[in-house]
Amino acid sequence: MDFDPMVMDAEPQGPSVKITDATPHSVDFTLQSVDLSFANSLRRTILAEVPTMAIDLVEIEANTSVLADEFITHRLGLIPLNSKNVDDVVYSRDCDCEQYCELCSVTLTLHARCTGDEIMRVYARDLVVDPLRQNQWVGNPVITDPEGLGTVICKLRKGQELRMKCIAKKGIAKEHAKWAPTSAVGFEYDPQNKLRHTDLWYEESAEKEWPKSKYADWEEPPQEGEPFDYDAVPETFYFEVESVGNLEPDAIIQQGIKVLQQKLAAVIRDLADGEGQTNGINGHGYDAPRSPEDVGMDGAWGQDQGYTTPFGNGNGTQEPQQPWGGSATPYGATPYGQQNGWANGR
Amino acid sequence: MNAPDRFELFLLGDGEKKCSEAPDTRTANSSVFTFNKEDHTLANILRAHLLKNSHVIFAGYKIPHPLFATFELRVQTDGSLTPKEALVNTCRTLVGDLEILSREFTKEFELRKMVMGDAAATENK
Ligand SMILES: [Zn+2]
């Protein structure tokens, strides 16, 4: 307890970010003042739990191409669809409709028939998006090539035809990779391998045989004969996030952060639920019982009695929450502390 | 054919709670929290950040079976706060940290966009 204040002094002011490169479909950044678990959880959410749109249901009216129905269906599913402001779309499973409707899906139709002698290619641009949808972006096939064609779906010979109705739904990559917002997330730390988290295989010398990461120049190389630092932990994380094109790279990061926050909020909500009862039992009191929503999503940190009261009294339990727990300063100003926070998307 | 539906990895079943606490009667100030429809993404970050609390003397998690999307987080404290309080505290701190990250990222990205916009403008001249 005595050393707590010192620890607190050394506590950095929360995560810091430096963007090192950005293009329309990628962003590279370094993340600092966070630990490995934090950086890794962010990476994992970005990879697998950021919602996007993808074709999920295909009603085939005609397919006389050489490809089997399920083959084409699979290819359709993998076409990246614009997912800007996908929060406007609800999950089909949460929707009140029978199977799908304009609140929870976007309909794309595909009708192609080859009439000429030349082999015809059917592209993503041939998908016709139904204007009945939640916003003007959602469901548009992502087309980035200079010719404006998009991905090839199928090739047709004279007389062959494709006629199908595709239903795009909201989902996450944990269910199927077609909903992934990223094609790759680069994640790297300790490029000099000072921490020895990697054991490099070599014939004569690891230094000679292994190429250095481009981030190696950004960190001090180990000194000759430097003793191993057993207390060292990874501190700087190099991210390289590459979008599939359905979401802008910054939106992917922001959504990832949001998803992670929602996970944590769900835990707070479940555990703080019975707070009303525990109040009396163990004497630590929240001032008033709060509705689950209140505790999980809102005020808790903005209003701040949440943790200052029960743990702040005397036992010096202030952990890193100090920077914002102490007052409403950094918080009150954000959309966060004030009202609904992330629930209705920023 | 009999593969479980993939959404079982993240969709809570009927009446299932995200997180529940079971106090350990054999050890003082310790609880096992069971999380449903979560994986290492949440487990590891909670574990690591609980350990940053000097009043937490043990925090560890396990995934009892790879086919079930659940994990158990065991927390023991020194008694100055309950495991539940420690966990809720940790969650709140993390939400705050993430909020800072979000803000920092927005700031940096806007700055970057401005710089890029200027560069593109001069290039096109
Ligand atoms: Zn619907």
PDB file of all heavy atoms in Angstrom, chain A residues 92 95-97 100-101 103-104, ligand 1:
ATOM      1  N   SER A  92     -30.243  -9.643 -38.578  1.00  0.00           N
ATOM      2  CA  SER A  92     -31.479 -10.327 -38.956  1.00  0.00           C
ATOM      3  C   SER A  92     -32.062 -11.119 -37.792  1.00  0.00           C
ATOM      4  O   SER A  92     -33.275 -11.196 -37.618  1.00  0.00           O
ATOM      5  CB  SER A  92     -31.216 -11.276 -40.119  1.00  0.00           C
ATOM      6  OG  SER A  92     -31.421 -10.607 -41.330  1.00  0.00           O
ATOM      7  N   CYS A  95     -34.115  -8.990 -35.653  1.00  0.00           N
ATOM      8  CA  CYS A  95     -35.176  -8.262 -36.336  1.00  0.00           C
ATOM      9  C   CYS A  95     -36.514  -8.973 -36.140  1.00  0.00           C
ATOM     10  O   CYS A  95     -36.572 -10.184 -35.930  1.00  0.00           O
ATOM     11  CB  CYS A  95     -34.838  -8.147 -37.823  1.00  0.00           C
ATOM     12  SG  CYS A  95     -35.846  -6.957 -38.704  1.00  0.00           S
ATOM     13  N   ASP A  96     -37.573  -8.181 -36.214  1.00  0.00           N
ATOM     14  CA  ASP A  96     -38.906  -8.757 -35.988  1.00  0.00           C
ATOM     15  C   ASP A  96     -39.475  -9.443 -37.221  1.00  0.00           C
ATOM     16  O   ASP A  96     -40.508 -10.102 -37.144  1.00  0.00           O
ATOM     17  CB  ASP A  96     -39.875  -7.652 -35.538  1.00  0.00           C
ATOM     18  CG  ASP A  96     -39.462  -7.087 -34.186  1.00  0.00           C
ATOM     19  OD1 ASP A  96     -38.982  -7.886 -33.356  1.00  0.00           O
ATOM     20  OD2 ASP A  96     -39.608  -5.876 -33.975  1.00  0.00           O
ATOM     21  N   CYS A  97     -38.818  -9.286 -38.347  1.00  0.00           N
ATOM     22  CA  CYS A  97     -39.362  -9.820 -39.580  1.00  0.00           C
ATOM     23  C   CYS A  97     -39.263 -11.347 -39.640  1.00  0.00           C
ATOM     24  O   CYS A  97     -38.588 -11.968 -38.835  1.00  0.00           O
ATOM     25  CB  CYS A  97     -38.635  -9.204 -40.772  1.00  0.00           C
ATOM     26  SG  CYS A  97     -36.889  -9.603 -40.796  1.00  0.00           S
ATOM     27  N   TYR A 100     -36.125 -11.838 -43.664  1.00  0.00           N
ATOM     28  CA  TYR A 100     -35.302 -10.645 -43.842  1.00  0.00           C
ATOM     29  C   TYR A 100     -36.194  -9.507 -44.320  1.00  0.00           C
ATOM     30  O   TYR A 100     -37.280  -9.738 -44.858  1.00  0.00           O
ATOM     31  CB  TYR A 100     -34.172 -10.891 -44.852  1.00  0.00           C
ATOM     32  CG  TYR A 100     -34.628 -11.341 -46.217  1.00  0.00           C
ATOM     33  CD1 TYR A 100     -35.004 -10.398 -47.188  1.00  0.00           C
ATOM     34  CD2 TYR A 100     -34.685 -12.691 -46.551  1.00  0.00           C
ATOM     35  CE1 TYR A 100     -35.431 -10.809 -48.437  1.00  0.00           C
ATOM     36  CE2 TYR A 100     -35.106 -13.106 -47.797  1.00  0.00           C
ATOM     37  CZ  TYR A 100     -35.482 -12.156 -48.739  1.00  0.00           C
ATOM     38  OH  TYR A 100     -35.894 -12.551 -49.982  1.00  0.00           O
ATOM     39  N   CYS A 101     -35.731  -8.295 -44.103  1.00  0.00           N
ATOM     40  CA  CYS A 101     -36.484  -7.128 -44.550  1.00  0.00           C
ATOM     41  C   CYS A 101     -35.496  -5.994 -44.777  1.00  0.00           C
ATOM     42  O   CYS A 101     -34.293  -6.177 -44.588  1.00  0.00           O
ATOM     43  CB  CYS A 101     -37.527  -6.726 -43.519  1.00  0.00           C
ATOM     44  SG  CYS A 101     -36.813  -6.104 -41.989  1.00  0.00           S
ATOM     45  N   LEU A 103     -34.862  -3.528 -43.035  1.00  0.00           N
ATOM     46  CA  LEU A 103     -34.211  -3.062 -41.812  1.00  0.00           C
ATOM     47  C   LEU A 103     -32.957  -3.875 -41.511  1.00  0.00           C
ATOM     48  O   LEU A 103     -32.031  -3.400 -40.871  1.00  0.00           O
ATOM     49  CB  LEU A 103     -35.167  -3.172 -40.620  1.00  0.00           C
ATOM     50  CG  LEU A 103     -36.443  -2.347 -40.655  1.00  0.00           C
ATOM     51  CD1 LEU A 103     -37.286  -2.640 -39.432  1.00  0.00           C
ATOM     52  CD2 LEU A 103     -36.114  -0.864 -40.731  1.00  0.00           C
ATOM     53  N   CYS A 104     -32.958  -5.124 -41.943  1.00  0.00           N
ATOM     54  CA  CYS A 104     -31.884  -6.018 -41.543  1.00  0.00           C
ATOM     55  C   CYS A 104     -31.128  -6.601 -42.737  1.00  0.00           C
ATOM     56  O   CYS A 104     -30.298  -7.481 -42.560  1.00  0.00           O
ATOM     57  CB  CYS A 104     -32.429  -7.146 -40.673  1.00  0.00           C
ATOM     58  SG  CYS A 104     -33.597  -8.216 -41.516  1.00  0.00           S
TER      59      CYS A 104
HETATM   60 ZN    ZN C   1     -35.706  -7.801 -40.770  1.00  0.00          ZN
END
